[in-house]
Amino acid sequence: MRNCRLTEEKRMDVFEVLRKPERIRIQIKKCAAEIEGLHEGVKPKAIRYDTDRVQSTGQTDPMAIYACRLEEKENELKVLQKKYFEALEAVEKMVKSLRLQEATVITLRYVKGESFAQIADEMHRSERSIFRDHKRAITALKNKSWQ
């Protein structure tokens, strides 16, 4: 029973490493969208001619707030990009120990984010054989000490 638990933990570690680049890529897209939203929010607003005077809101300079938020988001994006490349390197390190077909399936599935059907089309093989290669690759990875 203890060996079964260790094997399951190792398998979860394998999936954790394989899925990490996709999770980080999603965070990068979200951060980039937030940066784009900040840029959109700074565009000049329409001038209202129906008021007689300028009204002050008593707030601090909106450009200073914008610059601060933009800098924070750009720094966050840089950190995420660094983590993404580190995650890709970890996957690459794992995949080196696999046979070519298995390595290709793992790379297409977890690095490029393709579905099993897309992988089968790209490799000119059946989806069933892709599932088998995937299973063999995961089994090989969980049985190896790749860290």
Side-chain angles (χ1 to χ4, degrees):
M1 181 117 168
R2 175 120 170 95
N3 286 342
C4 183
R5 182 180 295 166
L6 287 175
T7 304
E8 192 61 32
E9 287 174 5
K10 210 173 201 184
R11 185 170 190 212
M12 291 305 291
D13 289 344
V14 167
F15 280 115
E16 180 70 26
V17 172
L18 292 174
R19 291 180 177 140
K20 192 172 184 177
E22 180 62 25
R23 285 196 314 272
I24 295 172
R25 185 175 29 224
I26 290 168
Q27 291 175 330
I28 287 172
K29 285 182 182 179
K30 181 181 175 187
C31 188
E34 289 174 2
I35 289 172
E36 183 64 30
L38 285 171
H39 287 301
E40 289 296 318
V42 159
K43 289 185 178 175
K45 307 280 190 273
I47 298 173
R48 293 191 56 183
Y49 293 103
D50 59 341
T51 59
D52 290 336
R53 59 187 177 146
V54 177
Q55 297 177 352
S56 174
T57 59
Q59 296 178 346
T60 59
D61 182 20
M63 285 305 286
I65 294 170
Y66 161 77
C68 183
R69 285 185 185 160
L70 183 62
E71 184 177 0
E72 287 173 2
K73 285 297 171 185
E74 287 176 342
N75 289 336
E76 181 182 340
L77 184 61
K78 287 177 187 176
V79 169
L80 286 171
Q81 289 170 335
K82 182 180 178 189
K83 285 182 181 180
Y84 178 71
F85 287 116
E86 290 171 355
L88 288 179
E89 287 174 1
V91 171
E92 185 179 308
K93 181 179 176 184
M94 290 175 66
V95 168
K96 282 183 181 179
S97 65
L98 299 174
R99 293 182 318 161
L100 181 60
Q101 286 183 341
E102 294 169 356
T104 304
V105 169
I106 294 295
T107 301
L108 292 174
R109 178 75 176 151
Y110 294 103
V111 174
K112 293 192 175 181
E114 294 183 5
S115 69
F116 287 110
Q118 290 170 322
I119 296 169
D121 285 344
E122 190 170 323
M123 294 180 72
H124 306 290
R125 298 176 55 214
S126 70
E127 200 169 334
R128 184 179 176 124
S129 68
I130 299 301
F131 279 118
R132 273 194 302 258
D133 284 345
H134 181 265
K135 184 177 180 178
R136 269 188 250 135
I138 296 299
T139 302
L141 290 172
K142 75 176 184 178
N143 290 333
K144 291 189 183 204
S145 175
W146 44 265
Q147 289 185 342

